[in-house]
Amino acid sequence: MAFALLRRRGPSNFERAADGSMTLIEHIRELRNRLFKASLGIVVGFGLGIWLAQDVRHLLQQPYCELEGSTVDGKCQFAQLGPADVLLLDLKIALWVGLIVAAPIWLYQLWAFIAPGLHRHERKYAYIFTALAAPLFAAGAVLAFFVVAKGLEFLVGLAGEDVTNTLEITRYISFVTNMILMFGVAFEFPLIVLMLNFVGLVTGRKMLGWWRIAVFVFFLFSAIVTPTPDPFGMTALAICLCALYFAAVGVAMLNDRRRGRGKEIYAGLDDDEVSPLHLEPEPVTAGERVETVAPVSAPDPVPAPQPIDRRYDDMT
């Protein structure tokens, strides 16, 4: 009975979207439903984030509160310029927490809407890259947390003993979260390069030839985003990015070997280098004789038309 009911239901929305049988109105209606479910998941995550907002804010305050001289009477002190600054900050943190907690829901809804337009191997690659993107971003965020702790120690020490450091709470949290975001996004760069290799835009050997440029770009980026001029935080971020890049190059070369790339006739040749010819030329021989054909006689001339003699009677 249940099997018969399932058979009567017909193809699912995924199957209909994949074979192109859905109309434009049905696609728009499905998008509306997907957005509603994703928004509902974010609202539920936001409610959980309100409950965790103060704990997350205390966690973000920890790098500064561990510094010497940041506590007054055993309590870590921050400044608030407006009466509702902390309330708005907690709501913002709750929204961030809600987006992270509800990520499996809204990412699934987004994927369920896009996936029917992809091929099977494209969906497989999307699963792999999504599974790698989350831990890479988390690793970058953890590294940023330790770099911020060292950076604050250096920056606060520049003020001197005659200056009391009381940081404004919203600007401090923005500083920490921006560092976490930049480090997390930077850790996704090798994954993007690896994606270009899987789609066939660049080979692993070409990526290996770019290692000098990549290392320079990584150190330049690290020098810009790290909050302190000391070489420790910059070097830590740059070394991690270099290690991830060379790991991506290794995976790309294995993928090229699996697909047989680099074995073409023009592989390993520069653009201005002549490719070798492996074909043996055959001797040129005379062709068969063509018999002569009698010329075609000219057609008889067409006689000129005779003038028509027309006589008209006078009309009276």
Side-chain angles (χ1 to χ4, degrees):
M1 184 66 181
F3 181 73
L5 292 176
L6 290 176
R7 291 188 61 182
R8 292 177 185 176
R9 292 178 57 185
S12 62
N13 290 336
F14 184 91
E15 296 173 348
R16 295 184 60 205
D19 59 18
S21 61
M22 289 184 67
T23 63
L24 177 61
I25 300 301
E26 290 175 337
H27 278 292
I28 295 176
R29 187 179 295 113
E30 184 188 8
L31 178 61
R32 181 196 62 186
N33 296 334
R34 298 290 183 188
L35 291 177
F36 176 76
K37 294 177 182 178
S39 302
L40 187 62
I42 293 176
V43 170
V44 175
F46 178 73
L48 180 62
I50 293 178
W51 181 53
L52 299 174
Q54 291 187 359
D55 296 333
V56 175
R57 176 162 55 84
H58 293 159
L59 178 64
L60 296 177
Q61 293 174 358
Q62 185 177 355
Y64 173 73
C65 294
E66 292 180 352
L67 297 179
E68 184 179 357
S70 61
T71 59
V72 178
D73 296 333
K75 296 182 179 181
C76 186
Q77 298 292 328
F78 284 91
Q80 179 182 220
L81 299 181
D85 285 351
V86 175
L87 175 62
L88 296 178
L89 180 61
D90 287 343
L91 292 177
K92 186 184 296 185
I93 293 175
L95 180 59
W96 293 338
V97 173
L99 288 173
I100 296 174
V101 172
I105 299 176
W106 59 266
L107 282 177
Y108 170 76
Q109 298 300 328
L110 178 63
W111 173 251
F113 183 75
I114 297 176
L118 303 177
H119 296 287
R120 181 173 299 178
H121 66 279
E122 293 174 343
R123 292 196 291 266
K124 181 182 67 174
Y125 292 151
Y127 291 141
I128 296 174
F129 286 116
T130 303
L132 293 176
L136 285 176
F137 188 90
V142 172
L143 179 62
F145 195 76
F146 289 103
V147 171
V148 165
K150 296 295 182 182
L152 286 175
E153 183 178 358
F154 174 81
L155 294 175
V156 172
L158 293 177
E161 298 180 355
D162 56 339
V163 177
T164 302
N165 292 298
T166 303
L167 302 183
E168 200 272 322
I169 183 65
T170 59
R171 296 178 63 183
Y172 168 78
I173 297 297
S174 298
F175 170 76
V176 176
T177 53
N178 288 337
M179 291 294 298
I180 292 175
L181 180 62
M182 286 189 295
F183 275 57
V185 172
F187 270 56
E188 304 293 339
F189 176 76
L191 189 61
I192 297 175
V193 175
L194 188 61
M195 186 183 302
L196 296 178
N197 172 261
F198 271 74
V199 298
L201 296 179
V202 64
T203 62
R205 187 175 297 275
K206 181 67 70 175
M207 292 166 56
L208 185 61
W210 295 341
W211 72 271
R212 295 179 179 85
I213 300 175
V215 170
F216 174 77
V217 171
F218 291 151
F219 273 89
L220 180 63
F221 175 79
S222 303
I224 294 174
V225 300
T226 48
T228 61
D230 64 277
F232 302 106
M234 178 191 71
T235 305
L237 177 59
I239 289 177
C240 292
L241 292 178
C242 291
L244 291 174
Y245 179 78
F246 285 112
V249 170
V251 175
M253 297 185 73
L254 292 177
N255 181 56
D256 293 341
R257 181 178 299 179
R258 181 179 63 87
R259 293 189 175 186
R261 294 175 182 169
K263 297 181 180 180
E264 298 83 359
I265 186 174
Y266 301 112
L269 298 177
D270 296 331
D271 295 337
D272 56 349
E273 186 176 353
V274 179
S275 59
L277 297 178
H278 302 286
L279 300 178
E280 295 293 338
E282 298 180 358
V284 179
T285 58
E288 298 180 358
R289 184 177 179 180
V290 179
E291 299 294 337
T292 59
V293 181
V296 179
S297 60
D300 296 335
V302 179
Q306 298 296 326
I308 300 175
D309 187 10
R310 295 181 180 178
R311 296 179 180 181
Y312 301 93
D313 297 335
D314 296 336
M315 298 179 64
T316 60

